[in-house]
Amino acid sequence: MQITVILLIFWVLTGCESVGDSVPEQDESTSIQAVYLAPKSGALLKKQDLESHPEILKVHSFNDLKSKVSTAETEIWIDSRMVKDVDTNWLNEGEQQFSPLVLIGYHDPLYALREALTGFGIEGPAVEWDHDQVQGGFSVWILRDKDEGNRRASLDGTDTEISIQNIQSLIQKLQKEEEALNSADAD
C-alpha cells in the first residue's frame, strides 16, 4: 500500500505525462526538418503522424524550440495552444525569420498571423472575428528577403485535416509559387 502511494505521488510530481502522449526521442542520424512546439498532451498533430515522421521534432517549451531551430531551412511549427508562450520578437530576427512558420489550429492566415501571433507587420481591414470561424486547419507564413532588403511574404491557410503531409504540401505549394515569382522577376 505504501509503495503504491509513493509511486502515485512520484507520478503526480513528475508531470503526469502518460505513456500514450510521449513521442520517441529523435534519432541522432535523422535530420530535423521542422520543430513543433506543442503541449505535452492534447497536441493537434496526432501521435501516430509524428511517430511516422522522425524529421518532425516535437518540443514542449519555447526555449527548446529556440535551441533546436538551427537554420532558416528548419521549419517552425506552433500549436495554437502554445501561442502564449512564443516570443514573436525572436521569430522576427536572425535566420529564423526566414524559416517557414506554421501555426496549427487556425486556418485563417490573417487571424493566425495578425491576431493570434502578432508582430509580423500584417495590416488590413478590421474583422469581426466573433462572426468568423477561424479554428481548425493551419496557416503558413514564409518571409523572403528580396533585393536590397525589400521583403515579400507568402501566406496561406486551409481548413483541411491537420496532418504532416497536408502541412508539407501547403509549404511546398507556397515555395513553388515563390520560385515562379522569382523567375518572373528575373526576366
Side-chain angles (χ1 to χ4, degrees), residues 106-115 122 129 138-140 155-158:
Y106 299 115
H107 70 272
D108 186 302
L110 183 60
Y111 180 84
L113 296 156
R114 187 176 82 174
E115 308 294 330
I122 298 174
W129 295 113
F138 52 92
S139 295
V140 177
L155 66 152
D156 199 356
T158 179

Side-chain angles (χ1 to χ4, degrees), residues 89-155:
N89 290 328
W90 178 82
L91 288 175
N92 285 302
E93 59 190 31
E95 284 296 309
Q96 66 274 5
Q97 68 183 313
F98 300 109
S99 296
L101 176 64
V102 180
L103 186 53
I104 300 171
Y106 299 115
H107 70 272
D108 186 302
L110 183 60
Y111 180 84
L113 296 156
R114 187 176 82 174
E115 308 294 330
L117 273 180
T118 59
F120 293 94
I122 298 174
E123 298 178 5
V127 178
E128 296 287 332
W129 295 113
D130 296 340
H131 303 301
D132 293 341
Q133 174 66 25
V134 295
Q135 294 187 339
F138 52 92
S139 295
V140 177
W141 160 274
I142 301 175
L143 180 65
R144 294 288 180 245
D145 211 4
K146 206 144 155 36
D147 302 329
E148 300 172 18
N150 295 323
R151 295 196 171 174
R152 176 170 57 204
S154 301
L155 66 152

Side-chain angles (χ1 to χ4, degrees), residues 164-182:
I164 291 172
Q165 180 179 350
N166 288 343
I167 292 169
Q168 290 172 333
S169 292
L170 185 55
I171 291 170
Q172 289 171 356
K173 174 188 164 242
L174 288 176
Q175 288 172 330
K176 285 180 184 175
E177 289 173 2
E178 181 65 29
E179 289 172 10
L181 285 171
N182 286 339

Side-chain angles (χ1 to χ4, degrees), residues 4-181:
T4 304
V5 171
I6 291 171
L7 288 175
L8 181 60
I9 291 170
F10 177 75
W11 180 70
V12 169
L13 292 176
T14 57
C16 304
E17 185 173 349
S18 71
V19 175
D21 289 331
S22 63
V23 175
E25 287 295 315
Q26 185 81 17
D27 181 351
E28 292 293 324
S29 65
T30 302
S31 176
I32 296 173
Q33 174 188 334
V35 181
Y36 173 43
L37 176 60
K40 287 185 179 181
S41 62
L44 294 173
L45 273 172
K46 294 180 176 97
K47 177 186 171 205
Q48 298 84 353
D49 203 8
L50 286 165
E51 287 176 343
S52 64
H53 290 276
E55 73 277 11
I56 311 301
L57 177 64
K58 182 180 175 185
V59 297
H60 306 296
S61 76
F62 185 68
N63 285 335
D64 288 342
L65 173 82
K66 288 187 342 184
S67 71
K68 298 297 182 182
V69 174
S70 56
T71 68
E73 286 78 37
T74 305
E75 299 164 9
I76 300 171
W77 297 10
I78 301 171
D79 194 291
S80 61
R81 296 174 181 145
M82 300 298 287
V83 167
K84 65 186 179 324
D85 297 337
V86 175
D87 177 3
T88 55
N89 290 328
W90 178 82
L91 288 175
N92 285 302
E93 59 190 31
E95 284 296 309
Q96 66 274 5
Q97 68 183 313
F98 300 109
S99 296
L101 176 64
V102 180
L103 186 53
I104 300 171
Y106 299 115
H107 70 272
D108 186 302
L110 183 60
Y111 180 84
L113 296 156
R114 187 176 82 174
E115 308 294 330
L117 273 180
T118 59
F120 293 94
I122 298 174
E123 298 178 5
V127 178
E128 296 287 332
W129 295 113
D130 296 340
H131 303 301
D132 293 341
Q133 174 66 25
V134 295
Q135 294 187 339
F138 52 92
S139 295
V140 177
W141 160 274
I142 301 175
L143 180 65
R144 294 288 180 245
D145 211 4
K146 206 144 155 36
D147 302 329
E148 300 172 18
N150 295 323
R151 295 196 171 174
R152 176 170 57 204
S154 301
L155 66 152
D156 199 356
T158 179
D159 60 359
T160 59
E161 176 189 1
I162 297 171
S163 72
I164 291 172
Q165 180 179 350
N166 288 343
I167 292 169
Q168 290 172 333
S169 292
L170 185 55
I171 291 170
Q172 289 171 356
K173 174 188 164 242
L174 288 176
Q175 288 172 330
K176 285 180 184 175
E177 289 173 2
E178 181 65 29
E179 289 172 10
L181 285 171

